[in-house]
Amino acid sequence: MSEMLTAAVTLADLGPAVSVFGSARLPSDSPYCKMSYELSHKLAKAGLAVIAGGGPGIMEAANRGAYDAGGTSIGLNIKLPAEQTDNGYQTTALQFEYFYGRKATFFMHSCAYVALPGGFGTVDELFEALTLIQTGKLPKGPVYLVGSEFWCGMVDWIREQMLPLGMITPDHMDLFTIEDNLDTIVAQIVSYAKTHTETSHRKSSLPRS
């Protein structure tokens, strides 16, 4: 609760922000890291804050892209026995010991979500965002899967297995978009941010100290 309160107070006046999810394990010269950097650079230039996990790999590329663009680069750093080392490209760095508070902070302060390739943690974050939107706990903001070659197999499985069994409805397939054109993503998120006011509803109602 203390971690969530600190995050809520720190980010209370953040404004429109985009959460970028992705693997900590990919090297900086990975094509996916380069996509993360370029996308976040474009988002920051468009006036949007970027929220990433604060670690290496795709997370570092996202923070660095926003940082190099002179924008707001938020890092939600988590203490782990391996993998996670805080990157140095954060204009605001928050420290978490618990995943619950960290994930809640992503969703409280984002108007859109971008998932680049990643492992269990990335998929967890992606599906939590989709679940919260599906159940009306979050406004229906844009959710993009970047890296079509990586994501298409999973989406095919959802369409071939979950959908025919009625575990999801056809409308739920519209909650996310596979898109590799970064300019298209930025333009659509900027348009959404300009025409919706949900970001004000995401600001935490926790009492301020």
Side-chain angles (χ1 to χ4, degrees), residues 34-206:
K34 293 178 179 178
M35 292 176 77
S36 177
Y37 177 92
E38 184 179 349
L39 173 63
S40 298
H41 195 277
K42 290 175 180 289
L43 289 169
K45 284 292 187 184
L48 295 160
V50 172
I51 307 176
I58 284 176
M59 294 182 285
E60 178 174 320
N63 283 135
R64 186 174 184 178
Y67 187 91
D68 286 353
T72 300
S73 173
I74 310 297
L76 307 186
N77 305 277
I78 183 78
K79 298 176 183 177
L80 297 175
E83 285 185 34
Q84 183 83 1
T85 55
D86 302 352
N87 68 66
Y89 302 101
Q90 304 171 43
T91 57
T92 300
L94 290 164
Q95 301 296 327
F96 293 86
E97 187 169 351
Y98 300 102
F99 275 111
Y100 178 84
R102 182 177 184 248
K103 288 199 292 183
T105 300
F106 276 119
F107 303 130
M108 280 193 299
H109 297 282
S110 299
C111 69
Y113 308 90
V114 177
L116 286 108
F120 291 158
T122 299
V123 174
D124 174 50
E125 291 159 342
L126 168 63
F127 276 99
E128 180 145 358
L130 292 174
T131 299
L132 292 172
I133 293 171
Q134 175 195 35
T135 55
K137 302 301 183 181
L138 283 180
K140 190 180 177 181
V143 179
Y144 292 97
L145 310 185
V146 177
S148 56
E149 184 177 357
F150 179 86
W151 293 111
C152 275
M154 184 191 76
V155 173
D156 288 342
W157 176 80
I158 293 171
R159 185 178 293 110
E160 294 167 6
Q161 299 297 327
M162 291 185 183
L163 191 57
L165 292 171
M167 295 173 176
I168 60 171
T169 69
D171 288 346
H172 294 151
M173 297 299 296
D174 297 329
L175 296 179
F176 60 87
T177 303
I178 298 178
E179 181 60 70
D180 290 339
N181 188 311
L182 305 183
D183 289 328
T184 296
I185 293 171
V186 173
Q188 291 179 353
I189 292 177
V190 168
S191 176
Y192 176 86
K194 286 181 178 178
T195 56
H196 293 74
T197 59
E198 288 92 345
T199 48
S200 63
H201 300 154
R202 288 189 179 83
K203 293 179 181 179
S204 174
S205 60
L206 293 171

